[in-house]
Amino acid sequence: DNFLFCFDGKVVMIAWGMKPDSKKHDVVGSIIYDLQLQERHKIRFVPGEHGVFKDKQASGMSRMSGTVLTKNDIPEIIADEGYVFKGWDPEPVGVTVDGPKTFKALYDKAPAPVAGNFGISESPEAAPEPEPTPDPVPEPKLEPAPEPKPEPESVPEPESISEPDKVPWYRHFWFWLTGSGCLKWLLWILLILLLIILLLCLFKSCDGIDGGNNVKQVDKIETPDGRIIDDNGPIKGIVGDDGALPGSPVVAPVVGDDGQEPPIIENPGAPDIIGNRLNIYFENADADLDAFAAALSGAYPSGECQIIGADRNVPMIQILIPEAMRDVIREELPGKLPDYDFFVVDESIFTINGQPGNNAENIGWHLDAVNVPEAWYITKGSSDIIIGIVDDGIDANHDILKRKIVKPYNVFTQDNRLSLGEGHGTHVAGLAAGADRMVDEGVSGVAPKCRIMPVQVFDNGMCTFSSLTSGIMYAIHNGASVVNVSIGPDFSGMDVLPIADQNLIARTQFKNEEKVWRRVIEVAEENNAIIVFAAGNNNILACVSPTNRSDLTLNVAAVDMSVRGTDFTNYGRGSNISAPGKDIASSVPVNDYAIFDGTSMAAPIVAGTVALMKSIDEELTVSEALSILQSTGIPVSDYMPPMIQADAALEALVSGNIPSGSENSEESPGLVNGADLPKGSIVRGNDGSAGDDSVAGNGPSAPDDGQEISAPSDGNAGGGTDYDVIRRMIAEYKRKISELEKLLPENQ
């Protein structure tokens, strides 16, 4: 009652240190007075390449606005051998702090030492020793002059003297070319071959059709209804006449060669799935897929199950089935094939986590927000570090991408024929490792000296669970140090559920998908590759998505210019790092630039930063990278993880100041150590009761009207997902929201 006041028909509340959560409430009031605290600014000192700080913690500090820097603020530098510390650029002493400041150490080469007596160096300016007094010159004695000798008779010089060893090498070479014999023709043949090789190398490096990237445009076909689509191949059985599967991965296209799309089962609040396909994943990484294929054929001799995809790296087999028999086949597969340990995963459809933006102001703000220019004082990356961009295609001839692309791959065509896609992959690739030639216009990759491996997992605008996992596996097995995945399952509509129910779904649903991702992450660890996932754009707990249930991946949420969570980003548990994701400028087809929003944009900013870190320490692990990024990042509100600071992360890595990483809790599968849940929410256990992670609050999140909303149970369908339960939960909450809205006055 001491903080509520009524006057002029208004109710005023004084709130100290709090703000309303715009994600959960409509804010209709206004701030009358906001306490203005004195602003602090970051002061950063960069030691450069030829020295280190005497105190490893001295690289950064913060000072109040208006503070004048003194000698006591300046860290002490220890120059490397052969160099002398010269000073700072600019000179920091006397500078008034009015914003972020960066000072770079300058060095001169040390003067070469001059050898002196007994090995003691002497300065070149040392006074010279006095010259010794010369000995007296004796007077010459007079002796009689000798008689002159008779001159010898002159001998005529020969007309020519053969000295082949003095003939220039090029004359020898010319004699060989113009002479006779087999040697002449052999040399000419070698010269012609050398010339052909040089011309081929020249043409390959020029800006030709593919820009020297070995990327070819995917073929186009016309469908019976007159549409022009990408030809990513037919959907067909892949078992050979000998009963064996192909040795290399085969991913079935989504769209048929006649343009016919597969039957789609829509799941409001959860990902849609393809109705006539099932994915069979094996518990044993060394499962014999050929033997399973033979057993499957014996179990279904009439051909109800046709194998259309297989990937031994995962391992996985995809079957094409009659849509009407989907549930029957799914239930009876384990009984028909009891000798094999496997589980079934729906062929869900994934979406890109980005969309066009419309704010052209402050282009390039994301580079300054994470201190990319300052990070470049340390490194711009190494060409040995490859970033896999698993996405919808790429504009390989874009000015900031050409000649940076290695091992491009289309999972559907199993070759280097890629499409332009919708521009999403090109935008993501430019953010991660695009050239810095446009940095003054606000467009550049975070790691401009690193290279890009584009992996296409979209077929005419559609990505599937199997194509995404196989695409990530390709990048890992082909040398990508960092793999960016700005794609994920779509949970549009789930944001109407309270936090507690979202968390319950994260604990109990999509468990088979989670097992597959654990296998993919395990392979990434074995190959020292770091996977970066976009957290998603559905304004829900990030851990609802099975891609965000491990702290052995970087799961990136998005912030805006005010360093707050965007209105679309997934947040809380399941997200473990943040980056700019609003109004982000980058490359798009064809050789153009555009602004996009989304966690899709935040993820490659993190991927580029990790690539810079890998350029310094190629053996950097995902746990080390995450610990550094979190400890050197800056706080973000709205239950969000820290936002990266690229320069601080590199400085910590160079100095060896790597904090110990956090570990996953085996007792709470599906939840990573991200931001805490908001106050007032309850995290329920698998049985619906409050679990160990509960937060004291205002009681159950479900409306207390006597009607119980059924919750998903753990372990349903052998780890499968009960889409009907999720659908009913969302429908019930929408009904209750509608009823509450009817109770409001019409003018509110």
Side-chain angles (χ1 to χ4, degrees):
D1 56 350
N2 292 329
F3 300 94
L4 287 174
F5 301 90
C6 302
F7 62 89
D8 294 341
K10 300 177 182 177
V11 178
V12 178
M13 179 181 72
I14 298 177
W16 180 268
M18 296 185 295
K19 290 184 179 179
D21 183 359
S22 59
K23 290 181 177 295
K24 306 297 180 295
H25 309 287
D26 290 332
V27 181
V28 296
S30 60
I31 297 176
I32 297 175
Y33 177 77
D34 195 0
L35 180 64
Q36 299 296 320
L37 299 176
Q38 190 172 5
E39 191 175 6
R40 299 180 70 89
H41 299 290
K42 181 190 298 183
I43 310 298
R44 191 167 300 284
F45 293 90
V46 180
E49 300 178 356
H50 304 304
V52 295
F53 292 119
K54 184 175 182 180
D55 179 4
K56 291 183 178 180
Q57 307 299 323
S59 61
M61 63 185 70
S62 63
R63 292 292 184 268
M64 292 289 188
S65 182
T67 301
V68 178
L69 298 181
T70 67
K71 290 183 178 180
N72 295 331
D73 297 313
I74 315 304
E76 186 176 349
I77 287 285
I78 300 176
D80 293 343
E81 185 177 355
Y83 290 88
V84 176
F85 175 64
K86 181 180 179 181
W88 297 96
D89 181 21
E91 171 58 42
V93 177
V95 171
T96 300
V97 176
D98 55 5
K101 303 289 183 183
T102 299
F103 303 95
K104 184 179 180 182
L106 301 176
Y107 301 89
D108 283 336
K109 286 190 175 182
V114 179
N117 292 333
F118 306 105
I120 300 175
S121 299
E122 297 180 343
S123 170
E125 289 78 18
E129 296 181 2
E131 297 183 0
T133 305
D135 295 332
V137 180
E139 295 183 1
K141 297 180 180 180
L142 297 179
E143 295 183 357
E147 295 182 0
K149 296 182 179 180
E151 295 183 1
E153 296 181 0
S154 60
V155 180
E157 296 181 359
E159 293 182 359
S160 63
I161 299 178
S162 177
E163 297 185 23
D165 56 315
K166 293 186 178 180
V167 176
W169 65 269
Y170 56 85
R171 295 194 63 186
H172 280 294
F173 190 70
W174 180 250
F175 291 153
W176 290 340
L177 290 178
T178 58
S180 60
C182 297
L183 182 60
K184 164 188 174 181
W185 298 110
L186 179 61
L187 288 173
W188 274 109
I189 292 173
L190 290 175
L191 283 175
I192 292 172
L193 289 175
L194 180 61
L195 180 61
I196 292 173
I197 293 173
L198 290 175
L199 289 175
L200 288 175
C201 292
L202 179 62
F203 290 149
K204 186 175 181 180
S205 63
C206 289
D207 293 339
I209 294 176
D210 63 7
N213 296 310
N214 298 319
V215 175
K216 297 180 180 178
Q217 182 69 41
V218 71
D219 297 332
K220 301 282 187 178
I221 59 173
E222 183 176 355
T223 64
D225 58 0
R227 293 181 296 123
I228 304 297
I229 66 171
D230 291 335
D231 182 12
N232 284 313
I235 302 168
K236 62 181 182 180
I238 61 172
V239 179
D241 295 336
D242 57 354
L245 295 168
S248 58
V250 176
V251 178
V254 183
V255 179
D257 55 356
D258 60 352
Q260 186 70 29
E261 294 188 356
I264 305 297
I265 300 176
E266 296 183 354
N267 295 306
D272 296 339
I273 58 178
I274 297 180
N276 63 349
R277 302 185 191 185
L278 290 174
N279 297 321
I280 300 171
Y281 288 88
F282 297 84
E283 299 283 2
N284 183 2
D286 299 321
D288 188 340
L289 299 193
D290 295 307
F292 180 86
L296 182 68
S297 178
Y300 294 94
S302 301
E304 298 96 332
C305 298
Q306 183 181 23
I307 297 178
I308 60 173
D311 191 339
R312 301 178 192 274
N313 292 325
V314 182
M316 177 275 292
I317 280 179
Q318 183 177 95
I319 57 176
L320 184 68
I321 59 175
E323 183 180 2
M325 297 181 63
R326 170 189 175 81
D327 293 337
V328 173
I329 292 177
R330 180 175 187 135
E331 292 297 327
E332 68 183 16
L333 272 174
K336 282 182 173 289
L337 300 165
D339 296 333
Y340 297 90
D341 194 5
F342 63 88
F343 56 95
V344 180
V345 175
D346 295 310
E347 181 72 322
S348 53
I349 297 174
F350 282 33
T351 60
I352 53 180
N353 288 317
Q355 56 276 327
N358 55 17
N359 184 6
E361 297 181 2
N362 301 304
I363 289 179
W365 73 271
H366 62 285
L367 299 173
D368 294 328
V370 300
N371 295 335
V372 169
E374 290 81 2
W376 286 349
Y377 282 122
I378 301 174
T379 182
K380 286 189 174 183
S382 165
S383 60
D384 293 333
I385 301 301
I386 299 172
I387 306 175
I389 305 295
V390 182
D391 219 287
D392 70 343
I394 197 166
D395 178 5
N397 289 303
H398 199 288
D399 282 345
I400 68 171
L401 299 177
K402 58 188 177 184
R403 292 188 294 275
K404 294 176 64 69
I405 295 177
V406 295
K407 297 184 179 180
Y409 189 68
N410 182 336
V411 298
F412 304 107
T413 61
Q414 289 93 54
D415 58 23
N416 61 343
R417 290 179 293 149
L418 276 63
S419 72
L420 294 178
E422 299 177 8
H424 187 267
T426 302
H427 200 276
V428 168
L431 287 171
D436 59 351
R437 65 183 65 182
M438 295 286 292
V439 67
D440 291 339
E441 283 73 32
V443 176
S444 174
V446 175
K449 298 299 183 183
C450 294
R451 293 188 290 171
I452 298 165
M453 179 192 297
V455 182
Q456 180 174 332
V457 294
F458 274 79
D459 176 23
N460 289 289
M462 302 178 73
C463 171
T464 61
F465 186 90
S466 64
S467 68
L468 182 57
T469 53
S470 289
I472 295 173
M473 282 292 197
Y474 172 85
I476 293 171
H477 285 297
N478 282 273
S481 299
V482 186
V483 182
N484 185 88
V485 186
S486 289
I487 305 166
D490 183 22
F491 294 94
S492 298
M494 190 174 284
D495 56 338
V496 301
L497 294 181
I499 294 293
D501 292 306
Q502 294 179 26
N503 198 44
L504 179 56
I505 291 172
R507 286 179 173 275
T508 60
Q509 301 299 303
F510 307 99
K511 305 304 288 183
N512 282 348
E513 289 88 341
E514 184 180 327
K515 288 168 67 174
V516 176
W517 289 118
R518 285 181 180 176
R519 168 63 182 156
V520 172
I521 294 166
E522 177 185 333
V523 174
E525 273 201 295
E526 293 170 354
N527 289 269
N528 194 28
I530 296 178
I531 302 177
V532 180
F533 281 115
N537 297 347
N538 299 127
N539 189 28
I540 60 175
L541 281 182
C543 60
V544 170
S545 172
T547 60
N548 299 326
R549 296 181 182 177
S550 172
D551 251 346
L552 295 177
T553 59
L554 275 63
N555 311 318
V556 187
V559 302
D560 56 23
M561 287 188 63
S562 62
V563 195
R564 294 178 61 88
T566 62
D567 56 0
F568 52 77
T569 185
N570 292 353
Y571 57 91
R573 290 199 174 103
S575 60
N576 52 25
I577 201 68
S578 296
K582 181 76 172 176
D583 303 322
I584 309 299
S586 185
S587 48
V588 293
V590 174
N591 200 27
D592 204 353
Y593 302 90
I595 297 170
F596 277 29
D597 297 339
T599 54
S600 280
M601 289 56 257
I605 293 173
V606 172
T609 302
V610 174
L612 294 180
M613 298 168 73
K614 283 269 192 178
S615 298
I616 295 173
D617 181 3
E618 195 167 355
E619 300 302 317
L620 182 75
T621 68
V622 61
S623 297
E624 292 170 340
L626 181 58
S627 296
I628 291 173
L629 291 172
Q630 288 179 335
S631 63
T632 59
I634 60 176
V636 183
S637 59
D638 298 337
Y639 323 116
M640 298 274 288
M643 185 181 78
I644 64 167
Q645 298 290 276
D647 58 336
L650 295 183
E651 289 169 6
L653 182 59
V654 170
S655 68
N657 185 23
I658 301 178
S660 59
S662 59
E663 297 180 356
N664 289 331
S665 173
E666 294 296 332
E667 298 178 358
S668 302
L671 295 180
V672 300
N673 300 320
D676 290 334
L677 294 177
K679 283 187 177 181
S681 66
I682 289 185
V683 180
R684 299 186 180 278
N686 292 340
D687 58 354
S689 61
D692 295 335
D693 297 313
S694 60
V695 181
N698 301 322
S701 57
D704 186 12
D705 61 356
Q707 296 186 17
E708 189 69 27
I709 296 178
S710 58
S713 60
D714 193 17
N716 58 82
T721 299
D722 193 336
Y723 292 97
D724 289 337
V725 168
I726 297 175
R727 187 184 303 112
R728 288 197 299 270
M729 292 175 68
I730 293 174
E732 183 66 15
Y733 271 99
K734 284 184 176 180
R735 181 186 67 79
K736 293 181 180 295
I737 291 172
S738 177
E739 291 178 355
L740 290 173
E741 288 176 344
K742 292 178 182 178
L743 299 177
L744 294 174
E746 293 184 358
N747 60 347
Q748 292 190 17

